[in-house]
Amino acid sequence: LLQGKLFDSTVTDEGTWTLEDRQMIRIVLMKTNRDAGNCWTSLLENEYAADPWVQDQMQRKLTLERFQRENPGFDFSGAEISGNYSKGGPDFSSLEN
């Protein structure tokens, strides 16, 4: 059905396959490295590339998740992000202390 090497590694025990309406197979994979700087550009290496708009939305979501982890006291639930957020956005770790 699908043949090739995944873009990156996944958690083997977390993957699920379901058959929907006897027509569509839904595959859910859990990435091992789920951070904003590791947004897959395709499912397999050089195949099944993500739509550019979808890729953009994934990077925005992962970058907001990163900011939430780094700033647990802030509420990012209604936040939107713009600017430089590709590859996880800017690194503010040097600003600490």
Side-chain angles (χ1 to χ4, degrees), residues 1 9-10 12 15-16 19 25 27-31 34 40-42 47-48 53 55 60 63 67 71 78-79 88 93:
L1 191 59
S9 60
T10 62
T12 307
T16 59
L19 180 61
I25 297 174
I27 304 168
V28 178
L29 303 171
M30 179 65 68
K31 296 173 16 176
R34 190 176 189 269
W40 291 15
T41 57
S42 62
E47 291 189 63
Y48 306 108
W53 184 84
Q55 180 76 17
R60 286 174 189 247
T63 300
F67 289 156
N71 303 281
S93 62

Side-chain angles (χ1 to χ4, degrees), residues 5-6 8 10 20 22 24 27 29 32 43 46 55 57 60-61 64 66-68 72 81 83 91:
K5 185 176 178 187
L6 287 174
D8 206 343
T10 62
E20 297 179 7
R22 297 180 183 252
M24 181 174 74
I27 304 168
L29 303 171
T32 54
L43 175 63
N46 303 314
Q55 180 76 17
Q57 296 304 306
R60 286 174 189 247
K61 180 178 185 256
L64 280 173
R66 179 193 131 206
F67 289 156
Q68 181 66 56
I81 190 165
D91 180 7

